[in-house]
Amino acid sequence: MTPAERLLDLVIALTHTEHRMTKADVRATVNGYSQASNDDAFERMFERDKVTLRELGIPLVTLTDDAHGDDIGYRIDLDGYDLPRVDLSPAEIGVLSVAAQVWDGAHLDLPARRALTKLRAVSPAASGELSGHVLRIPPPSATFDPLLSAIASRAVVTFGYRGATSSAPAQRRVEPWQLVVRDGAWYVLGHDLVRDAERMFRLTRITGAVKVGARGGATHPRVTGTGGGLGATSRASGSIGRTVGDDGAADVARVAVRPERAGEVRLRALAATPGEAAWSGWDVLELAVGNADDLAGLLAGHTDAVVVLEPPHLREAVVTRLRAAAGLATVGTATTGTETDPVSEPATDPATGDIQSSAPTTGEAGRG
């Protein structure tokens, strides 16, 4: 019997026991434990299985007999084990559908598809913004799984890394934070303990196996939304785009997005918060600017669904594109000879030059 089968039988037994099961009960009635050659082997096997169940989030509780304090038994707390009903919105189903594409061609491809099939059977269809979105990303490499495991367990990883300008790999120790795709390649973003700074490493340049340290060994928390590490890599290679401003600060954009709109923009968000004041009812996203021209083109393509709050240079780039598009529409209408009304240039704020038609007016936030 495999360890997974033994664990499943143990879970079934501990959830159906009327009160508790002692170690003797487990050894005598649960399949797999009779394979232990002696008492010490059974103790080691059972202790490992208890740790595994708790790491999986299964609430295994320890009970002692009131009359005999050394008589210890175990059961699973059913109140803590039962999951609540899963209710997902069309936008959430859409996000999960897009996320499942990460595993295309990888070992979790089939489980991800099966999970989506089950969710779609009890949930509404994906929202139109995300249902047709296709991720253009490479399949995960052999280094992906150990890095993902280290991120989840807050562990330090060690690997050999061949830089863009070096011929021989160097040993790196990193506290990984996030796996991201940039320019069609997978990168791991984290704190480089060798250089004591945020860095991003391309997975295809990692040589050999990734060694994962002890759980909880990482101590440097990521500052959400700083965009750090992206800029460090772009300064070194010039291949990821500008993510650090002239003053050396991280170049992060804040944009207001209408609910369940601009799915492609949402996929790039570093953080999201509910809008306040004039932007109540909207979502405020933080985006790593990267290549400002590319981001401006993306945001302008969503017209009234997205409004750039900062930085000013990105706002200006988006406004420029919207004005150009409005001008082309005006010229096109004027040259057709039809009686349709020409499309005029959108109203602008005379003080800032910002287009006003995208921003909500007082009392109309989220509906303008």
Side-chain angles (χ1 to χ4, degrees):
M1 174 174 285
T2 65
E5 291 176 303
R6 185 178 69 244
L7 278 172
L8 180 59
D9 281 355
L10 179 60
V11 169
I12 293 173
L14 293 176
T15 53
H16 287 81
T17 182
E18 292 183 1
H19 179 51
R20 63 195 180 105
M21 293 185 72
T22 64
K23 290 183 179 180
D25 295 333
V26 171
R27 189 173 185 180
T29 61
V30 178
N31 292 331
Y33 289 101
S34 61
Q35 297 174 356
S37 57
N38 52 52
D39 291 345
D40 289 340
F42 165 74
E43 287 285 344
R44 290 193 297 270
M45 183 184 297
F46 185 57
E47 290 301 318
R48 284 197 303 267
D49 289 349
K50 286 196 301 180
V51 171
T52 301
L53 291 181
R54 286 169 174 149
E55 286 180 346
L56 291 172
I58 297 175
L60 179 65
V61 296
T62 303
L63 302 172
T64 56
D65 188 271
D66 293 337
H68 304 282
D70 57 347
D71 187 10
I72 300 174
Y74 305 89
R75 69 175 175 85
I76 290 175
D77 181 10
L78 294 180
D79 291 336
Y81 188 50
D82 290 342
L83 290 175
R85 175 182 171 85
V86 177
D87 291 314
L88 299 174
S89 68
E92 290 168 334
I93 286 290
V95 169
L96 290 174
S97 300
V98 173
Q101 297 176 33
V102 171
W103 298 106
D104 284 351
H107 74 284
L108 286 181
D109 187 4
L110 185 57
R113 292 179 184 276
R114 285 176 175 170
L116 278 177
T117 300
K118 293 177 181 179
L119 288 174
R120 288 168 177 162
V122 297
S123 303
S127 62
E129 278 289 321
L130 292 170
S131 59
H133 190 87
V134 178
L135 291 181
R136 295 178 176 86
I137 58 175
S141 63
T143 57
F144 189 93
D145 282 356
L147 289 171
L148 189 62
S149 174
I151 292 171
S153 61
R154 296 292 294 133
V156 177
V157 294
T158 305
F159 52 80
Y161 189 76
R162 182 180 288 106
T165 58
S166 60
S167 57
Q171 199 76 355
R172 311 302 283 269
R173 293 184 67 246
V174 178
E175 296 183 1
W177 294 330
Q178 187 179 16
L179 287 161
V180 297
V181 173
R182 292 289 184 272
D183 296 340
W186 281 104
Y187 292 81
V188 57
L189 171 65
H191 186 89
D192 187 342
L193 296 174
V194 177
R195 289 168 170 75
D196 192 24
E198 297 179 13
R199 290 291 187 272
M200 194 159 69
F201 303 92
R202 185 165 177 155
L203 267 57
T204 55
R205 291 181 182 156
I206 294 177
T207 61
V210 174
K211 298 179 181 178
V212 181
R215 171 182 289 269
T219 59
H220 292 80
R222 181 186 179 191
V223 181
T224 303
T226 61
L230 303 177
T233 306
S234 66
R235 287 195 299 273
S237 66
S239 62
I240 299 176
R242 184 175 65 84
T243 60
V244 173
D246 297 335
D247 58 354
D251 198 352
V252 176
R254 291 179 66 251
V255 300
V257 181
R258 293 184 187 275
E260 299 192 13
R261 297 281 300 278
E264 191 173 0
V265 177
R266 292 177 181 275
L267 289 172
R268 298 180 55 164
L270 299 172
T273 56
E276 299 177 352
W279 301 105
S280 177
W282 293 52
D283 299 319
V284 176
L285 310 182
E286 293 183 358
L287 309 172
V289 174
N291 187 302
D293 290 337
D294 289 345
L295 182 58
L298 171 65
L299 298 177
H302 291 279
T303 57
D304 67 328
V306 175
V307 179
V308 179
L309 306 180
E310 57 183 10
H313 69 83
L314 180 63
R315 224 180 127 80
E316 182 180 351
V318 173
V319 169
T320 299
R321 284 163 172 75
L322 293 176
R323 282 179 174 155
L328 288 174
T330 303
V331 172
T333 304
T335 56
T336 58
T338 64
E339 295 182 0
T340 57
D341 294 333
V343 179
S344 60
E345 184 173 333
T348 59
D349 185 329
T352 64
D354 294 335
I355 291 181
Q356 297 178 344
S357 59
S358 296
T361 58
T362 304
E364 295 293 326
R367 301 188 300 276

